[in-house]
Amino acid sequence: MKTGISKQSRDKMIRLFKKRKDKPSLMYPVFQRLGAFMDKRQRQCARYLEKKSERLNRKQQFYWLVFFCIGFGGGSLYLLLCSVESRTDHVFMDRMAFQQNVVKSKVDTAKNAKAVLTQSLFWKINRFKKYLDSLQKTETGKARYDSIVKTSSGLLDSMHLLEQFYQQQLKSNR
């Protein structure tokens, strides 16, 4: 019966579950001792509680069990509800993530350089803006328009800012 798995793949899977003969980590003995210590303390605690509960009859054991479950269950439920409903007045500042298509530029290095938007570039931007407006007139065009706006967020804002920049440039040149 063929399983469809090559011999190499089967050998790799078998090697995955084999015991490793690598050197154990440096912390392995520490964790082993810590685990033994915790196990010893748990057993001591269990023996102590067992001796205490031997004096109780069956009915008292049942009541203590119910009391224990209600107490710890209620406490856990209280903590859960408080964590969900907590409203703090603290404002946490997270690091801002920039999209990949955002280019960071240093303004300080270009203090003396004057940006110029040429008339031909302005016309190209206007033609592209008219093309985007014409896309919204048909169903397939709307889908294409939505995908363009979605994939290049900030495109319309950038075009608007460039138009304003060009207008200001024209006013300053007069």
Side-chain angles (χ1 to χ4, degrees):
M1 176 175 175
K2 283 201 161 196
T3 59
I5 299 175
S6 69
K7 186 172 178 4
Q8 287 179 332
S9 298
R10 192 173 55 242
D11 290 343
K12 284 181 184 178
M13 285 187 348
I14 290 172
R15 274 188 266 143
L16 180 66
F17 296 108
K18 279 186 178 179
K19 283 189 178 180
R20 294 186 179 186
K21 296 179 183 179
D22 299 339
K23 264 191 340 187
S25 72
L26 192 60
M27 294 300 291
Y28 182 74
V30 174
F31 289 130
Q32 208 172 22
R33 287 182 185 169
L34 184 64
F37 174 77
M38 293 295 291
D39 189 48
K40 181 181 176 183
R41 290 292 176 189
Q42 284 177 350
R43 290 182 190 281
Q44 285 176 348
C45 183
R47 271 190 240 114
Y48 172 77
L49 291 174
E50 187 180 3
K51 286 180 184 177
K52 290 289 184 183
S53 67
E54 280 177 354
R55 297 182 205 154
L56 302 174
N57 64 21
R58 185 137 174 103
K59 192 173 186 180
Q60 290 174 328
Q61 286 179 351
F62 177 75
Y63 287 136
W64 277 106
L65 177 66
V66 170
F67 173 73
F68 178 80
C69 290
I70 289 173
F72 280 96
S76 299
L77 188 62
Y78 173 76
L79 286 175
L80 179 70
L81 291 176
C82 285
S83 68
V84 170
E85 292 181 359
S86 71
R87 289 183 171 70
T88 60
D89 294 335
H90 302 291
V91 177
F92 297 103
M93 301 296 290
D94 288 336
R95 207 178 179 142
M96 282 184 62
F98 292 99
Q99 294 180 355
Q100 292 178 353
N101 57 353
V102 175
V103 178
K104 297 178 187 177
S105 64
K106 296 194 177 197
V107 180
D108 297 337
T109 57
K111 280 185 181 177
N112 297 331
K114 187 174 182 182
V116 177
L117 186 63
T118 62
Q119 190 173 13
S120 63
L121 186 59
F122 179 70
W123 284 343
K124 287 180 183 178
I125 292 171
N126 268 345
R127 279 196 316 242
F128 185 68
K129 189 174 181 183
K130 287 178 185 177
Y131 168 71
L132 287 177
D133 289 338
S134 70
L135 282 177
Q136 293 181 344
K137 294 178 182 175
T138 63
E139 287 296 321
T140 57
K142 282 182 184 179
R144 183 176 283 172
Y145 174 82
D146 290 339
S147 70
I148 289 172
V149 170
K150 186 177 179 181
T151 56
S152 12
S153 60
L155 176 68
L156 299 176
D157 295 334
S158 298
M159 288 192 324
H160 183 68
L161 285 173
L162 285 172
E163 285 181 46
Q164 287 179 347
F165 178 73
Y166 185 73
Q167 298 299 331
Q168 286 176 350
Q169 182 179 317
L170 286 178
K171 285 180 185 176
S172 66
N173 287 342
R174 286 184 188 171

